[in-house]
Amino acid sequence: MSSRQATALVDLDAIGSNFELVRSRAPNSNVMAIIKADAYGHGAIRVAKALSSANAFGVARVSEAVKLREAGIGQPICLLEGVNDREELNLASVFELQVVIHDRYQLDLLERVGARRKVWLKVDTGMGRLGFAPEEVPEVLQTLGKQTLLGVMTHLSEASDPVSQKTGLQLTRIREVIGKSGHPDVRTLNIANSAGILGHPASLAEWVRPGLMLYGATPFDDLKPIHDLHPAMTFSAPVIAVHPVKAGESVGYGGIFTASSNTRVAVIAAGYADGYPREIKQGAPVLIHGEKRRLVGRVSMDMICVELEPGDVVQPSDRAVLWGEGLAIEDIATCCGTIPYTLMTGVSSRVYRHYRASS
Ligand SMILES: *Cc1c(COP(=O)(O)O)cnc(C)c1O
């Protein structure tokens, strides 16, 4: 590991044990592990290889699936948004990808080209985004033509909110769809995301689709870390300078922090271009030698500044943890009014990924 670089250390064993938690919460379900957006910033190929017992993988883009196939990933891979045009359909055929059908134009496309794919029918039970209305389903099933129906998928819109009644409503709607269809493969349901798996046992079905929980963060709105999950990513960066700041002097762009007494700051080589959020509040915690220290001044493109305490012995090449081991990503998300999803997926490509695994 270069000590001079911002780094995301990914613990593949943690991802493996989070996967086992999915298995224990959903013992009768097949698991479609969601590894879109480069496995939420963790590296899709490495994560896919570590999850060799996943029954399938889910990605958002055709390009993501192609990279996995080219890396030798042989399990079923599902395109969660399906295909948009002939070129994507061609790639889906060449690389044997499952496709979600959420709109009629996709079925027309398959028919026109004479393509035959394994398809999931997406039903909109309340997300209001992709999918057929429940009442359209019987008719859509009749137009499936040569396609092999894997089952029916729907997405929960409020499972992260423990008091919302919406999940129950969505489950009622999807069951009505099955009840009315008469089609045998419609009984294979694929509903639960991480929040469904952890918070709504009634949403467990033949398939589950965990994403965030595999990476060890809570999907719930309270942003309380979940004890049973193991955070997989530690985002860290080196100290590149330590210098005194006199009382009355400011630090960084806009001078939004002014020292009230003589103090010292450490400059850390990670900024918003690495994926550290510029919106984060003053005083947000950064871990140096295992101690929480306060972010001061604006987040720059390539650097942040952290105020040291009088006794701290810190020098260039020491490392600071921005989130991960010893500093929950949920706490950082709270400090900038966001969720772990955006922080993880925002870690940019110039951040060096390296991997830890026991085997
Ligand atoms: C991203 C995604 C998931 C995974 O959601 P998490 O909240 O990360 O578990 C599941 N299903 C679909 C359709 C998705 O787009």
Side-chain angles (χ1 to χ4, degrees), residues 27-42:
N28 302 315
S29 304
N30 291 306
V31 180
M32 179 183 284
I34 304 301
I35 56 173
K36 61 190 176 186
D38 205 23
Y40 295 41
H42 295 68

Side-chain angles (χ1 to χ4, degrees), residues 299-334:
V299 173
S300 313
M301 187 182 291
D302 313 303
M303 286 170 267
I304 55 172
C305 294
V306 175
E307 185 174 22
L308 298 177
E309 308 235 326
D312 289 349
V313 181
V314 175
Q315 53 199 12
S317 92
D318 287 351
R319 292 191 76 83
V321 170
L322 308 175
W323 66 69
E325 219 169 306
L327 187 58
I329 193 170
E330 289 90 344
D331 294 345
I332 301 302
T334 302

